Amino acid sequence: EFILRNGRIVKVATTKAQRKLFFNLRSQKKRLAWLNNDEVHRVAESLGVEPREVREMESRLSGQDMAFDPAAEADDDSAFQSPAHYLEDHRYDPAVQLEDADWSDNSTSNLHEALQGLDDRSRDILYQRWLAEEKATLHELADKYSVSAERIRQLEKNAMNKVKALITV
């Protein structure tokens, strides 16, 4: 029990069946190398478990704990294999946070400037169709401006093209 709890960073066996399998495999591993297919099926049958569970426990027994940080003497190639490299969390990197905030602020200000470059009707149509909490339909806007729904669609398309052109400049 002590070996199971303290032998590794990650527990090897947690359920009663896994502990039974662990101790039986461990005693057999003293005299065997890797189990062949027949031995796996024999062990699985004698313990009443699936062969894949025997293979999984065998790999757990032979596995090594890996250091989170690369060794001090590690070269660049092996340093990339350490978990510290590929499990790095970039969400809290101040440079990334500043870049994201700056991009968001810049995009928002560009959008507001582009919308200010439109006439009142086009700006209202874009606001009602895309930015309002309750989006207006083409027919609602057509009734408001006393034009056809097709004309509202054309005005919306033209306004979107103008906004795109102003933002990309």
Side-chain angles (χ1 to χ4, degrees):
E1 189 70 26
F2 178 82
I3 293 170
L4 285 175
R5 292 187 189 277
N6 301 308
R8 295 183 180 228
I9 295 171
V10 178
K11 287 185 181 181
V12 175
T14 55
T15 66
K16 186 174 181 177
Q18 287 178 336
R19 286 194 297 272
K20 183 178 178 183
L21 181 58
F22 171 78
F23 285 113
N24 284 311
L25 267 182
R26 192 178 63 162
S27 64
Q28 289 186 15
K29 291 297 269 183
K30 289 178 184 174
R31 58 183 168 76
L32 298 172
W34 279 93
L35 298 176
N36 64 30
N37 225 10
D38 294 334
E39 292 168 332
V40 167
H41 285 289
R42 221 178 18 248
V43 169
E45 194 174 303
S46 71
L47 297 174
V49 296
E50 294 291 320
R52 78 174 161 74
E53 292 180 57
V54 174
R55 291 227 184 269
E56 182 182 333
M57 187 59 69
E58 183 180 29
S59 70
R60 287 181 183 182
L61 282 171
S62 62
Q64 300 292 321
D65 289 335
M66 179 186 285
F68 184 75
D69 294 317
E73 66 276 355
D75 59 355
D76 288 341
D77 291 335
S78 62
F80 283 113
Q81 296 172 353
S82 69
H85 177 72
Y86 60 82
L87 294 177
E88 186 176 0
D89 187 359
H90 296 283
R91 290 178 300 176
Y92 304 108
D93 182 3
V96 172
Q97 287 180 331
L98 182 62
E99 184 179 319
D100 290 346
D102 189 40
W103 185 86
S104 178
D105 291 345
N106 191 30
S107 297
T108 303
S109 67
N110 285 347
L111 178 61
H112 285 294
E113 286 177 26
L115 287 173
Q116 293 305 316
L118 298 175
D119 61 281
D120 291 338
R121 181 173 66 171
S122 296
R123 188 178 322 118
D124 184 54
I125 289 172
L126 284 185
Y127 179 80
Q128 295 293 323
R129 294 276 294 151
W130 295 95
L131 302 174
E133 285 291 321
E134 292 186 31
K135 312 276 188 272
T137 65
L138 292 174
H139 293 290
E140 291 170 349
L141 291 171
D143 292 342
K144 179 179 178 180
Y145 289 108
S146 301
V147 294
S148 69
E150 176 60 23
R151 180 64 183 144
I152 294 294
R153 188 197 62 76
Q154 291 169 353
L155 290 168
E156 177 186 19
K157 182 180 175 190
N158 290 337
M160 285 293 233
N161 289 336
K162 285 181 188 176
V163 167
K164 283 179 190 176
L166 292 171
I167 287 178
T168 58
V169 171

